[in-house]
Amino acid sequence: AKATANTLQIEEDEGFDALVDLFDASMEKNNSDECIGCSQDLICDGDDDCVSDGSLNLVFAPLSRNCKRVAKDIETSVDDDPQKLAAIERMCPNWKENVQLAQAQTDPDDLNNALQNVQKAKTDLENMKAKILQAFFDRHQTLKLYEKSLQSSINRLSENENEDDGI
């Protein structure tokens, strides 16, 4: 039993907790990377050029009618889905500002670079999800094994007591 307890402790310390720490660290990194234009990340100079984390050179210019319409359509698609809205607001409370900033951009190279960064972050997140699900499955299977082993031992002891009572 002591060996089993030690094994469970080692697995918990090295496995699941490490995975949670990895996820938290990645989310903190991605939160700052993907949340372009969040006011706390902006650095503006006198020429009205603003940069966030270097992934997109933000230029504040009035939105054209078409850009306003596209931004509004995107915002409405989020606002109409309460689950999506809650998730996005947890990750980046200034998301509407970010949508508008993206629509205000005029440099295709900056936009493509920012898009590549977002797509890479999405791929990284999918890979992390697969690892987390695999770790969850592995942990669940291991716990089922330990449960079966411990239950068998309890049953064996119970049978031994019954045999001893019958003597």
Side-chain angles (χ1 to χ4, degrees):
K2 192 170 189 174
T4 302
N6 288 339
T7 302
L8 283 171
Q9 184 62 41
I10 289 169
E11 284 181 1
E12 184 162 331
D13 289 347
E14 293 177 0
F16 196 73
D17 289 344
L19 195 57
V20 170
D21 290 343
L22 172 70
F23 181 75
D24 288 343
S26 177
M27 292 311 298
E28 287 172 10
K29 177 187 176 295
N30 285 339
N31 198 14
S32 64
D33 288 349
E34 292 178 19
C35 192
I36 60 169
C38 288
S39 58
Q40 66 270 22
D41 296 333
L42 288 178
I43 303 169
C44 298
D45 60 21
D47 298 330
D48 291 332
D49 286 343
C50 297
V51 295
S52 58
D53 61 359
S55 62
L56 184 60
N57 196 17
L58 302 175
V59 177
F60 291 103
L63 291 178
S64 70
R65 193 173 288 148
N66 188 40
C67 289
K68 285 180 184 177
R69 182 187 54 75
V70 171
K72 185 65 177 164
D73 288 348
I74 293 169
E75 291 170 12
T76 300
S77 73
V78 173
D79 286 334
D80 288 347
D81 185 339
Q83 287 182 319
K84 184 188 291 186
L85 177 63
I88 290 171
E89 286 187 342
R90 278 191 301 271
M91 293 304 298
C92 188
N94 299 332
W95 67 272
K96 287 184 180 183
E97 178 183 314
N98 293 339
V99 168
Q100 292 172 2
L101 288 171
Q103 294 306 310
Q105 300 311 301
T106 57
D107 185 338
D109 291 335
D110 285 342
L111 287 167
N112 283 320
N113 186 31
L115 178 60
Q116 287 175 353
N117 289 341
V118 168
Q119 290 171 336
K120 182 183 180 319
K122 281 179 57 182
T123 300
D124 291 348
L125 190 63
E126 285 296 322
N127 291 336
M128 188 185 323
K129 175 183 173 184
K131 289 177 184 176
I132 288 171
L133 289 175
Q134 184 63 51
F136 179 85
F137 176 78
D138 294 349
R139 179 100 171 127
H140 186 258
Q141 293 301 319
T142 303
L143 291 173
K144 284 175 47 176
L145 170 70
Y146 292 150
E147 178 183 35
K148 182 177 182 178
S149 177
L150 293 168
Q151 189 63 55
S152 296
S153 187
I154 290 170
N155 291 345
R156 178 185 46 82
L157 291 174
S158 195
E159 288 172 4
N160 286 345
E161 283 181 15
N162 289 340
E163 288 176 6
D164 290 345
D165 290 345
I167 296 179

mmCIF file of all heavy atoms in Angstrom, residues 42-81:
data_model
loop_
_atom_site.group_PDB
_atom_site.id
_atom_site.type_symbol
_atom_site.label_atom_id
_atom_site.label_comp_id
_atom_site.label_asym_id
_atom_site.label_seq_id
_atom_site.Cartn_x
_atom_site.Cartn_y
_atom_site.Cartn_z
ATOM 1 N N LEU A 42 -0.250 48.325 -25.239
ATOM 2 C CA LEU A 42 0.051 49.275 -26.302
ATOM 3 C C LEU A 42 1.145 50.254 -25.916
ATOM 4 O O LEU A 42 1.205 50.736 -24.793
ATOM 5 C CB LEU A 42 -1.205 50.073 -26.668
ATOM 6 C CG LEU A 42 -2.276 49.316 -27.426
ATOM 7 C CD1 LEU A 42 -3.460 50.227 -27.663
ATOM 8 C CD2 LEU A 42 -1.758 48.787 -28.739
ATOM 9 N N ILE A 43 2.000 50.528 -26.872
ATOM 10 C CA ILE A 43 3.009 51.571 -26.729
ATOM 11 C C ILE A 43 2.805 52.503 -27.913
ATOM 12 O O ILE A 43 2.928 52.090 -29.063
ATOM 13 C CB ILE A 43 4.435 50.981 -26.764
ATOM 14 C CG1 ILE A 43 4.593 49.930 -25.678
ATOM 15 C CG2 ILE A 43 5.475 52.075 -26.674
ATOM 16 C CD1 ILE A 43 5.853 49.113 -25.804
ATOM 17 N N CYS A 44 2.491 53.749 -27.663
ATOM 18 C CA CYS A 44 2.212 54.683 -28.744
ATOM 19 C C CYS A 44 3.264 55.783 -28.750
ATOM 20 O O CYS A 44 3.703 56.240 -27.705
ATOM 21 C CB CYS A 44 0.830 55.327 -28.576
ATOM 22 S SG CYS A 44 -0.510 54.117 -28.623
ATOM 23 N N ASP A 45 3.651 56.194 -29.960
ATOM 24 C CA ASP A 45 4.528 57.356 -30.063
ATOM 25 C C ASP A 45 3.711 58.527 -30.583
ATOM 26 O O ASP A 45 2.518 58.426 -30.786
ATOM 27 C CB ASP A 45 5.747 57.059 -30.950
ATOM 28 C CG ASP A 45 5.366 56.676 -32.376
ATOM 29 O OD1 ASP A 45 4.243 57.007 -32.806
ATOM 30 O OD2 ASP A 45 6.205 56.061 -33.069
ATOM 31 N N GLY A 46 4.329 59.613 -30.823
ATOM 32 C CA GLY A 46 3.616 60.819 -31.218
ATOM 33 C C GLY A 46 3.045 60.772 -32.622
ATOM 34 O O GLY A 46 2.269 61.630 -33.008
ATOM 35 N N ASP A 47 3.454 59.796 -33.422
ATOM 36 C CA ASP A 47 2.995 59.715 -34.813
ATOM 37 C C ASP A 47 1.732 58.881 -34.969
ATOM 38 O O ASP A 47 1.386 58.473 -36.072
ATOM 39 C CB ASP A 47 4.089 59.103 -35.700
ATOM 40 C CG ASP A 47 5.346 59.948 -35.728
ATOM 41 O OD1 ASP A 47 5.228 61.182 -35.592
ATOM 42 O OD2 ASP A 47 6.433 59.363 -35.876
ATOM 43 N N ASP A 48 1.065 58.564 -33.888
ATOM 44 C CA ASP A 48 -0.148 57.752 -33.884
ATOM 45 C C ASP A 48 0.083 56.317 -34.338
ATOM 46 O O ASP A 48 -0.845 55.617 -34.702
ATOM 47 C CB ASP A 48 -1.267 58.379 -34.739
ATOM 48 C CG ASP A 48 -1.803 59.648 -34.131
ATOM 49 O OD1 ASP A 48 -1.737 59.782 -32.891
ATOM 50 O OD2 ASP A 48 -2.276 60.513 -34.891
ATOM 51 N N ASP A 49 1.353 55.869 -34.365
ATOM 52 C CA ASP A 49 1.641 54.464 -34.637
ATOM 53 C C ASP A 49 1.763 53.755 -33.304
ATOM 54 O O ASP A 49 2.495 54.192 -32.436
ATOM 55 C CB ASP A 49 2.954 54.299 -35.410
ATOM 56 C CG ASP A 49 2.816 54.700 -36.871
ATOM 57 O OD1 ASP A 49 1.668 54.779 -37.339
ATOM 58 O OD2 ASP A 49 3.851 54.933 -37.519
ATOM 59 N N CYS A 50 1.041 52.666 -33.132
ATOM 60 C CA CYS A 50 1.068 51.937 -31.880
ATOM 61 C C CYS A 50 1.479 50.507 -32.168
ATOM 62 O O CYS A 50 1.121 49.948 -33.201
ATOM 63 C CB CYS A 50 -0.301 51.945 -31.205
ATOM 64 S SG CYS A 50 -0.841 53.591 -30.756
ATOM 65 N N VAL A 51 2.215 49.943 -31.249
ATOM 66 C CA VAL A 51 2.578 48.535 -31.372
ATOM 67 C C VAL A 51 2.203 47.844 -30.083
ATOM 68 O O VAL A 51 2.255 48.436 -29.016
ATOM 69 C CB VAL A 51 4.085 48.339 -31.667
ATOM 70 C CG1 VAL A 51 4.434 48.904 -33.020
ATOM 71 C CG2 VAL A 51 4.955 48.957 -30.596
ATOM 72 N N SER A 52 1.806 46.596 -30.209
ATOM 73 C CA SER A 52 1.498 45.832 -28.996
ATOM 74 C C SER A 52 2.724 45.009 -28.654
ATOM 75 O O SER A 52 3.686 45.527 -28.131
ATOM 76 C CB SER A 52 0.255 44.961 -29.210
ATOM 77 O OG SER A 52 0.435 44.082 -30.294
ATOM 78 N N ASP A 53 2.730 43.737 -29.004
ATOM 79 C CA ASP A 53 3.868 42.884 -28.682
ATOM 80 C C ASP A 53 4.772 42.691 -29.887
ATOM 81 O O ASP A 53 5.539 41.763 -29.945
ATOM 82 C CB ASP A 53 3.378 41.538 -28.158
ATOM 83 C CG ASP A 53 2.535 40.809 -29.181
ATOM 84 O OD1 ASP A 53 2.325 41.348 -30.283
ATOM 85 O OD2 ASP A 53 2.088 39.700 -28.880
ATOM 86 N N GLY A 54 4.639 43.548 -30.878
ATOM 87 C CA GLY A 54 5.470 43.455 -32.061
ATOM 88 C C GLY A 54 4.853 42.624 -33.159
ATOM 89 O O GLY A 54 5.404 42.532 -34.246
ATOM 90 N N SER A 55 3.712 41.986 -32.923
ATOM 91 C CA SER A 55 3.131 41.134 -33.945
ATOM 92 C C SER A 55 2.317 41.926 -34.966
ATOM 93 O O SER A 55 2.089 41.456 -36.061
ATOM 94 C CB SER A 55 2.259 40.058 -33.307
ATOM 95 O OG SER A 55 1.183 40.646 -32.615
ATOM 96 N N LEU A 56 1.897 43.102 -34.609
ATOM 97 C CA LEU A 56 1.093 43.894 -35.534
ATOM 98 C C LEU A 56 1.380 45.361 -35.274
ATOM 99 O O LEU A 56 1.284 45.832 -34.157
ATOM 100 C CB LEU A 56 -0.396 43.594 -35.316
ATOM 101 C CG LEU A 56 -1.403 44.252 -36.255
ATOM 102 C CD1 LEU A 56 -1.142 43.854 -37.699
ATOM 103 C CD2 LEU A 56 -2.814 43.854 -35.879
ATOM 104 N N ASN A 57 1.753 46.065 -36.311
ATOM 105 C CA ASN A 57 2.006 47.498 -36.200
ATOM 106 C C ASN A 57 0.656 48.194 -36.281
ATOM 107 O O ASN A 57 0.049 48.251 -37.342
ATOM 108 C CB ASN A 57 2.942 47.948 -37.331
ATOM 109 C CG ASN A 57 3.542 49.300 -37.072
ATOM 110 O OD1 ASN A 57 3.534 49.784 -35.950
ATOM 111 N ND2 ASN A 57 4.070 49.904 -38.119
ATOM 112 N N LEU A 58 0.170 48.680 -35.168
ATOM 113 C CA LEU A 58 -1.182 49.203 -35.087
ATOM 114 C C LEU A 58 -1.212 50.681 -35.463
ATOM 115 O O LEU A 58 -0.499 51.488 -34.887
ATOM 116 C CB LEU A 58 -1.742 49.016 -33.677
ATOM 117 C CG LEU A 58 -1.779 47.578 -33.193
ATOM 118 C CD1 LEU A 58 -2.239 47.521 -31.752
ATOM 119 C CD2 LEU A 58 -2.671 46.740 -34.062
ATOM 120 N N VAL A 59 -2.034 50.997 -36.430
ATOM 121 C CA VAL A 59 -2.201 52.377 -36.859
ATOM 122 C C VAL A 59 -3.645 52.752 -36.585
ATOM 123 O O VAL A 59 -4.559 52.099 -37.052
ATOM 124 C CB VAL A 59 -1.881 52.530 -38.366
ATOM 125 C CG1 VAL A 59 -2.124 53.943 -38.813
ATOM 126 C CG2 VAL A 59 -0.462 52.086 -38.652
ATOM 127 N N PHE A 60 -3.825 53.803 -35.788
ATOM 128 C CA PHE A 60 -5.175 54.245 -35.479
ATOM 129 C C PHE A 60 -5.638 55.187 -36.580
ATOM 130 O O PHE A 60 -5.165 56.310 -36.691
ATOM 131 C CB PHE A 60 -5.214 54.954 -34.118
ATOM 132 C CG PHE A 60 -4.987 54.018 -32.972
ATOM 133 C CD1 PHE A 60 -3.769 53.962 -32.325
ATOM 134 C CD2 PHE A 60 -5.989 53.169 -32.553
ATOM 135 C CE1 PHE A 60 -3.556 53.095 -31.276
ATOM 136 C CE2 PHE A 60 -5.785 52.296 -31.502
ATOM 137 C CZ PHE A 60 -4.564 52.260 -30.862
ATOM 138 N N ALA A 61 -6.545 54.700 -37.378
ATOM 139 C CA ALA A 61 -7.122 55.512 -38.437
ATOM 140 C C ALA A 61 -8.625 55.304 -38.368
ATOM 141 O O ALA A 61 -9.089 54.254 -37.937
ATOM 142 C CB ALA A 61 -6.580 55.078 -39.790
ATOM 143 N N PRO A 62 -9.380 56.301 -38.797
ATOM 144 C CA PRO A 62 -10.835 56.106 -38.793
ATOM 145 C C PRO A 62 -11.206 54.920 -39.682
ATOM 146 O O PRO A 62 -10.621 54.716 -40.736
ATOM 147 C CB PRO A 62 -11.378 57.417 -39.364
ATOM 148 C CG PRO A 62 -10.250 58.390 -39.320
ATOM 149 C CD PRO A 62 -8.980 57.600 -39.296
ATOM 150 N N LEU A 63 -12.178 54.155 -39.223
ATOM 151 C CA LEU A 63 -12.629 53.009 -40.012
ATOM 152 C C LEU A 63 -13.511 53.466 -41.150
ATOM 153 O O LEU A 63 -14.365 54.345 -40.987
ATOM 154 C CB LEU A 63 -13.420 52.037 -39.131
ATOM 155 C CG LEU A 63 -12.660 51.260 -38.070
ATOM 156 C CD1 LEU A 63 -13.625 50.399 -37.271
ATOM 157 C CD2 LEU A 63 -11.575 50.406 -38.680
ATOM 158 N N SER A 64 -13.309 52.869 -42.311
ATOM 159 C CA SER A 64 -14.198 53.135 -43.439
ATOM 160 C C SER A 64 -15.554 52.517 -43.138
ATOM 161 O O SER A 64 -15.702 51.708 -42.219
ATOM 162 C CB SER A 64 -13.624 52.522 -44.727
ATOM 163 O OG SER A 64 -13.694 51.109 -44.657
ATOM 164 N N ARG A 65 -16.539 52.868 -43.924
ATOM 165 C CA ARG A 65 -17.878 52.327 -43.740
ATOM 166 C C ARG A 65 -17.861 50.801 -43.856
ATOM 167 O O ARG A 65 -18.490 50.098 -43.067
ATOM 168 C CB ARG A 65 -18.818 52.944 -44.791
ATOM 169 C CG ARG A 65 -20.273 52.695 -44.508
ATOM 170 C CD ARG A 65 -21.177 53.451 -45.464
ATOM 171 N NE ARG A 65 -21.136 54.873 -45.130
ATOM 172 C CZ ARG A 65 -21.265 55.861 -46.012
ATOM 173 N NH1 ARG A 65 -21.446 55.587 -47.267
ATOM 174 N NH2 ARG A 65 -21.225 57.111 -45.624
ATOM 175 N N ASN A 66 -17.116 50.281 -44.828
ATOM 176 C CA ASN A 66 -17.022 48.837 -45.022
ATOM 177 C C ASN A 66 -16.333 48.165 -43.829
ATOM 178 O O ASN A 66 -16.778 47.115 -43.360
ATOM 179 C CB ASN A 66 -16.272 48.529 -46.322
ATOM 180 C CG ASN A 66 -16.308 47.057 -46.673
ATOM 181 O OD1 ASN A 66 -17.327 46.390 -46.503
ATOM 182 N ND2 ASN A 66 -15.191 46.542 -47.136
ATOM 183 N N CYS A 67 -15.244 48.768 -43.337
ATOM 184 C CA CYS A 67 -14.533 48.208 -42.175
ATOM 185 C C CYS A 67 -15.430 48.205 -40.947
ATOM 186 O O CYS A 67 -15.415 47.256 -40.159
ATOM 187 C CB CYS A 67 -13.253 48.999 -41.897
ATOM 188 S SG CYS A 67 -11.965 48.743 -43.133
ATOM 189 N N LYS A 68 -16.210 49.265 -40.764
ATOM 190 C CA LYS A 68 -17.135 49.326 -39.634
ATOM 191 C C LYS A 68 -18.177 48.214 -39.728
ATOM 192 O O LYS A 68 -18.523 47.581 -38.734
ATOM 193 C CB LYS A 68 -17.835 50.683 -39.580
ATOM 194 C CG LYS A 68 -16.963 51.807 -39.085
ATOM 195 C CD LYS A 68 -17.740 53.112 -39.061
ATOM 196 C CE LYS A 68 -16.836 54.263 -38.652
ATOM 197 N NZ LYS A 68 -17.537 55.550 -38.688
ATOM 198 N N ARG A 69 -18.673 47.982 -40.947
ATOM 199 C CA ARG A 69 -19.677 46.942 -41.152
ATOM 200 C C ARG A 69 -19.097 45.563 -40.839
ATOM 201 O O ARG A 69 -19.720 44.751 -40.135
ATOM 202 C CB ARG A 69 -20.200 46.980 -42.591
ATOM 203 C CG ARG A 69 -21.299 45.948 -42.865
ATOM 204 C CD ARG A 69 -21.692 45.869 -44.341
ATOM 205 N NE ARG A 69 -20.575 45.647 -45.247
ATOM 206 C CZ ARG A 69 -19.942 44.469 -45.408
ATOM 207 N NH1 ARG A 69 -20.320 43.427 -44.704
ATOM 208 N NH2 ARG A 69 -18.943 44.343 -46.253
ATOM 209 N N VAL A 70 -17.885 45.291 -41.337
ATOM 210 C CA VAL A 70 -17.247 44.001 -41.086
ATOM 211 C C VAL A 70 -17.002 43.820 -39.583
ATOM 212 O O VAL A 70 -17.291 42.755 -39.012
ATOM 213 C CB VAL A 70 -15.928 43.872 -41.881
ATOM 214 C CG1 VAL A 70 -15.147 42.643 -41.452
ATOM 215 C CG2 VAL A 70 -16.206 43.834 -43.380
ATOM 216 N N ALA A 71 -16.476 44.850 -38.929
ATOM 217 C CA ALA A 71 -16.225 44.781 -37.484
ATOM 218 C C ALA A 71 -17.527 44.528 -36.733
ATOM 219 O O ALA A 71 -17.580 43.696 -35.811
ATOM 220 C CB ALA A 71 -15.552 46.064 -36.993
ATOM 221 N N LYS A 72 -18.577 45.213 -37.118
ATOM 222 C CA LYS A 72 -19.877 45.050 -36.453
ATOM 223 C C LYS A 72 -20.417 43.631 -36.659
ATOM 224 O O LYS A 72 -20.965 43.021 -35.724
ATOM 225 C CB LYS A 72 -20.875 46.097 -36.979
ATOM 226 C CG LYS A 72 -22.198 46.082 -36.257
ATOM 227 C CD LYS A 72 -22.023 46.480 -34.812
ATOM 228 C CE LYS A 72 -23.365 46.540 -34.117
ATOM 229 N NZ LYS A 72 -23.212 46.553 -32.672
ATOM 230 N N ASP A 73 -20.264 43.092 -37.863
ATOM 231 C CA ASP A 73 -20.711 41.724 -38.142
ATOM 232 C C ASP A 73 -19.964 40.709 -37.261
ATOM 233 O O ASP A 73 -20.567 39.784 -36.720
ATOM 234 C CB ASP A 73 -20.508 41.365 -39.620
ATOM 235 C CG ASP A 73 -21.484 42.073 -40.540
ATOM 236 O OD1 ASP A 73 -22.468 42.662 -40.049
ATOM 237 O OD2 ASP A 73 -21.241 42.042 -41.774
ATOM 238 N N ILE A 74 -18.661 40.915 -37.134
ATOM 239 C CA ILE A 74 -17.858 40.015 -36.306
ATOM 240 C C ILE A 74 -18.280 40.138 -34.843
ATOM 241 O O ILE A 74 -18.472 39.135 -34.149
ATOM 242 C CB ILE A 74 -16.356 40.316 -36.483
ATOM 243 C CG1 ILE A 74 -15.914 39.949 -37.901
ATOM 244 C CG2 ILE A 74 -15.520 39.567 -35.444
ATOM 245 C CD1 ILE A 74 -14.525 40.435 -38.265
ATOM 246 N N GLU A 75 -18.441 41.363 -34.365
ATOM 247 C CA GLU A 75 -18.857 41.592 -32.981
ATOM 248 C C GLU A 75 -20.223 40.968 -32.718
ATOM 249 O O GLU A 75 -20.439 40.333 -31.677
ATOM 250 C CB GLU A 75 -18.890 43.088 -32.680
ATOM 251 C CG GLU A 75 -17.513 43.730 -32.648
ATOM 252 C CD GLU A 75 -17.553 45.250 -32.584
ATOM 253 O OE1 GLU A 75 -18.640 45.823 -32.343
ATOM 254 O OE2 GLU A 75 -16.492 45.861 -32.791
ATOM 255 N N THR A 76 -21.147 41.125 -33.656
ATOM 256 C CA THR A 76 -22.488 40.564 -33.499
ATOM 257 C C THR A 76 -22.440 39.041 -33.444
ATOM 258 O O THR A 76 -23.154 38.422 -32.645
ATOM 259 C CB THR A 76 -23.406 41.028 -34.642
ATOM 260 O OG1 THR A 76 -23.484 42.457 -34.615
ATOM 261 C CG2 THR A 76 -24.802 40.443 -34.521
ATOM 262 N N SER A 77 -21.579 38.432 -34.264
ATOM 263 C CA SER A 77 -21.484 36.966 -34.262
ATOM 264 C C SER A 77 -21.004 36.455 -32.904
ATOM 265 O O SER A 77 -21.374 35.362 -32.486
ATOM 266 C CB SER A 77 -20.553 36.476 -35.380
ATOM 267 O OG SER A 77 -19.199 36.733 -35.079
ATOM 268 N N VAL A 78 -20.194 37.243 -32.212
ATOM 269 C CA VAL A 78 -19.730 36.856 -30.880
ATOM 270 C C VAL A 78 -20.816 37.158 -29.846
ATOM 271 O O VAL A 78 -21.116 36.329 -28.981
ATOM 272 C CB VAL A 78 -18.404 37.563 -30.517
ATOM 273 C CG1 VAL A 78 -18.021 37.304 -29.071
ATOM 274 C CG2 VAL A 78 -17.291 37.127 -31.468
ATOM 275 N N ASP A 79 -21.377 38.349 -29.918
ATOM 276 C CA ASP A 79 -22.402 38.758 -28.950
ATOM 277 C C ASP A 79 -23.616 37.823 -28.967
ATOM 278 O O ASP A 79 -24.266 37.634 -27.939
ATOM 279 C CB ASP A 79 -22.877 40.185 -29.240
ATOM 280 C CG ASP A 79 -21.849 41.241 -28.839
ATOM 281 O OD1 ASP A 79 -21.031 40.968 -27.936
ATOM 282 O OD2 ASP A 79 -21.877 42.336 -29.427
ATOM 283 N N ASP A 80 -23.917 37.230 -30.121
ATOM 284 C CA ASP A 80 -25.081 36.354 -30.244
ATOM 285 C C ASP A 80 -24.862 34.961 -29.663
ATOM 286 O O ASP A 80 -25.792 34.170 -29.586
ATOM 287 C CB ASP A 80 -25.488 36.224 -31.723
ATOM 288 C CG ASP A 80 -26.114 37.499 -32.267
ATOM 289 O OD1 ASP A 80 -26.469 38.397 -31.463
ATOM 290 O OD2 ASP A 80 -26.240 37.615 -33.511
ATOM 291 N N ASP A 81 -23.640 34.651 -29.280
ATOM 292 C CA ASP A 81 -23.323 33.331 -28.724
ATOM 293 C C ASP A 81 -22.777 33.522 -27.314
ATOM 294 O O ASP A 81 -21.593 33.825 -27.135
ATOM 295 C CB ASP A 81 -22.291 32.634 -29.611
ATOM 296 C CG ASP A 81 -21.992 31.216 -29.172
ATOM 297 O OD1 ASP A 81 -22.250 30.867 -27.998
ATOM 298 O OD2 ASP A 81 -21.482 30.451 -30.009
#
